[in-house]
């Protein structure tokens, strides 16, 4: 009892009238952290339990078969009820964004929501600790306290989304930059007598060091074609994964060429020329935007020193005259 009284006296001496609010925030955070494991717990599916028993009872099979039957992260699978959206459309939209960012793992959606929750709670605790041990001694308002505590939590929650958005933009930019070169190489391979599947494999090997994201997409297409998947479905999946308009138009050209029986080499030649022209136009557009972007920086770096040089002596002279008049 004496410890509790001394602790309360210390809290009131440190925080003043806000001591009760701080204590409620600390207790609420502790209760939330304690309740998370119970909320995220998921009962094991009887079918999964039976499958695990059958796998343990059977002898070790072929490595490829084991990899095909391998499931996702079981630790995250226990918390799938909380880490996965209930709506199928929302789940598909998040899944597509993660695929376009380059995260194709089956647990990517769960990991994304787990990182949002972990970073949000972690930054929230850091903000609370910073406010408790650094800012609490000063007279701060409730709004300022909420900003110091909840601000880092919100920043941590939205940090994974910002990372995914930036990675999607970087990936699309690299695919757009390397796509015209890949079409030229593919045209050379097709005109040399190779099939479309062989040319895609060759282009993927050549682009691995310069444009790794585009090379990965070509490798996936080549592997799916080898596995016997329908070529039109493979190309449409590539267009969806890339999320780039140039790739989508290229896929449409290949599908039409395959459907109507026209020459793929001729279609590649025409489309490759259009992509080269489009890349030149894109470079010219960026060059034309450069003077406008540099105007603000030029004004910020040149106008203030120029004003100091021109107005400074006059200001000093006026000040001296004022002092002499006094």
């Amino acid at each position: 009892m004496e410890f509790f009284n001394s602790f309360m006296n210390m809290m009131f001496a440190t925080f003043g009238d806000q001591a009760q609010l701080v204590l409620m925030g600390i207790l609420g955070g502790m209760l939330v952290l304690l309740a998370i494991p119970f909320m995220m717990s998921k009962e094991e599916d009887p079918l999964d339990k039976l499958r695990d028993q059958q796998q343990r009872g059977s002898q070790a099979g072929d490595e490829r078969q084991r990899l095909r039957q391998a499931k996702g992260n079981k630790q995250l699978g226990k918390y799938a009820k909380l880490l996965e959206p209930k709506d199928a459309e929302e789940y598909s939209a998040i899944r597509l964004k993660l695929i376009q960012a380059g995260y194709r793992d089956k647990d990517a959606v769960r990991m994304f929501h787990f990182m949002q929750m972990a970073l949000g709670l972690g930054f929230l605790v850091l903000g609370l600790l910073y406010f408790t041990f650094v800012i609490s001694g000063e007279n701060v308002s409730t709004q300022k306290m909420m900003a110091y505590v909840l601000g880092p939590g919100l920043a941590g929650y939205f940090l994974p989304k910002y990372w995914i958005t930036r990675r999607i933009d970087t990936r699309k930019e690299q695919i757009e930059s390397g796509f015209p070169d890949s079409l030229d190489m593919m045209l050379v391979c097709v005109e040399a007598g190779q099939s479309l599947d062989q040319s895609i494999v060759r282009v993927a090997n050549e682009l691995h060091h310069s444009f790794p994201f585009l090379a990965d997409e070509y490798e996936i297409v080549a592997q799916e074609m080898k596995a016997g998947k329908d070529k039109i479905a493979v190309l449409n999946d590539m267009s969806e994964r890339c999320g780039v308009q140039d790739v989508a138009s290229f896929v449409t050209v290949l599908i039409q060429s395959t459907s109507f029986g026209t020459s793929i080499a001729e279609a590649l030649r025409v489309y490759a020329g259009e992509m080269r022209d489009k890349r030149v136009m894109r470079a010219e557009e960026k060059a034309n935007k450069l003077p406008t972007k540099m105007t603000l920086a030029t004004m910020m770096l040149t106008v203030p020193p120029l004003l100091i040089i021109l107005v400074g002596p006059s200001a000093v002279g006026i000040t001296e005259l004022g002092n002499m008049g006094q």
Side-chain angles (χ1 to χ4, degrees):
M1 193 67 181
E2 294 180 358
F3 174 76
F4 178 75
N5 292 330
S6 61
F7 175 75
M8 292 299 297
N9 292 331
M10 182 188 68
M11 292 294 295
F12 277 103
T14 304
F15 299 102
D17 297 336
Q18 297 180 354
Q20 295 179 352
L21 186 60
V22 173
L23 284 174
M24 291 178 62
I26 294 174
L27 291 176
M30 294 176 61
L31 290 175
V32 170
L33 292 176
L34 291 175
I36 284 175
F38 298 99
M39 294 173 59
M40 296 175 61
S41 62
K42 176 185 176 183
E43 296 182 0
E44 188 176 2
D45 192 353
L47 294 177
D48 294 339
K49 186 184 295 184
L50 180 61
R51 190 181 296 109
D52 293 338
Q53 291 178 356
Q54 291 177 353
Q55 289 180 356
R56 287 196 298 266
S58 62
Q59 297 180 354
D62 186 28
E63 182 67 15
R64 294 181 180 177
Q65 187 69 18
R66 188 186 67 81
L67 289 175
R68 290 195 187 98
Q69 295 178 354
K71 298 185 64 178
N73 192 322
K74 291 186 177 181
Q75 298 297 327
L76 292 178
K78 295 178 181 179
Y79 311 131
K81 187 183 297 185
L82 188 63
L83 295 178
E84 288 184 357
K86 299 293 189 296
D87 190 7
E89 294 183 0
E90 183 180 357
Y91 179 86
S92 300
I94 297 175
R95 177 68 175 164
L96 180 59
K97 285 186 177 180
L98 293 174
I99 289 176
Q100 290 179 352
Y103 301 106
R104 305 183 187 90
D105 191 80
K106 64 184 301 182
D107 290 327
V109 177
R110 298 176 187 174
M111 182 60 69
F112 172 73
H113 286 92
F114 173 75
M115 292 302 298
Q116 278 191 318
M117 183 186 65
L119 289 177
L121 291 176
F123 279 56
L124 183 67
V125 172
L126 290 177
L128 182 61
L129 293 176
Y130 178 78
F131 176 79
T132 303
F133 295 104
V134 179
I135 309 297
S136 59
E138 305 174 1
N139 294 325
V140 294
S141 61
T142 305
Q143 290 81 3
K144 191 173 182 180
M145 184 195 70
M146 299 296 287
Y148 275 107
V149 176
L150 296 180
L154 292 175
Y157 179 80
F158 287 106
L159 185 61
K161 187 176 293 186
Y162 173 76
W163 169 262
I164 293 298
T165 303
R166 291 293 301 169
R167 186 172 172 86
I168 290 175
D169 294 339
T170 303
R171 194 165 178 271
K172 287 183 178 180
E173 184 178 355
Q174 187 184 115
I175 291 175
E176 286 180 354
S177 300
F179 191 61
D181 295 334
S182 68
L183 291 182
D184 290 336
M185 287 187 284
M186 195 178 301
L187 176 61
V188 172
C189 294
V190 171
E191 289 182 343
Q194 292 184 342
S195 64
L196 181 62
D197 303 353
Q198 294 173 342
S199 62
I200 289 176
V201 174
R202 183 61 182 270
V203 170
N205 293 331
E206 294 293 335
L207 292 177
H208 234 301
H209 298 288
S210 55
F211 303 102
F213 291 140
L214 185 59
D216 291 340
E217 292 298 330
Y218 281 133
E219 283 186 355
I220 293 174
V221 170
Q223 295 297 330
E224 288 181 346
M225 286 183 177
K226 286 182 181 179
K229 191 174 180 180
D230 184 53
K231 186 178 295 185
I232 296 178
V234 171
L235 294 174
N236 286 326
D237 291 342
M238 177 186 176
S239 173
E240 233 180 82
R241 288 194 305 268
C242 293
V244 178
Q245 183 60 38
D246 295 342
V247 179
S249 301
F250 169 69
V251 168
T252 304
V253 169
L254 285 185
I255 291 175
Q256 290 178 352
S257 177
T258 304
S259 301
F260 294 109
T262 58
S263 174
I264 295 179
E266 186 64 27
L268 283 173
R269 184 181 297 105
V270 174
Y271 197 75
E274 292 181 357
M275 288 296 101
R276 285 195 298 271
D277 295 339
K278 192 173 183 179
R279 181 169 59 181
V280 173
M281 294 174 60
R282 195 181 295 124
E284 291 177 351
E285 181 183 358
K286 290 182 179 179
N288 293 330
K289 289 181 179 178
L290 190 60
T292 306
K293 294 180 179 179
M294 292 180 63
T295 302
L296 182 60
T298 303
M299 292 177 60
M300 292 177 61
L301 295 175
T302 58
V303 174
L306 185 62
L307 290 176
I308 293 173
I309 293 171
L310 296 177
V311 182
S314 302
V316 173
I318 293 172
T319 305
E320 290 179 352
L321 290 174
N323 295 332
M324 289 175 63
Q326 294 177 357

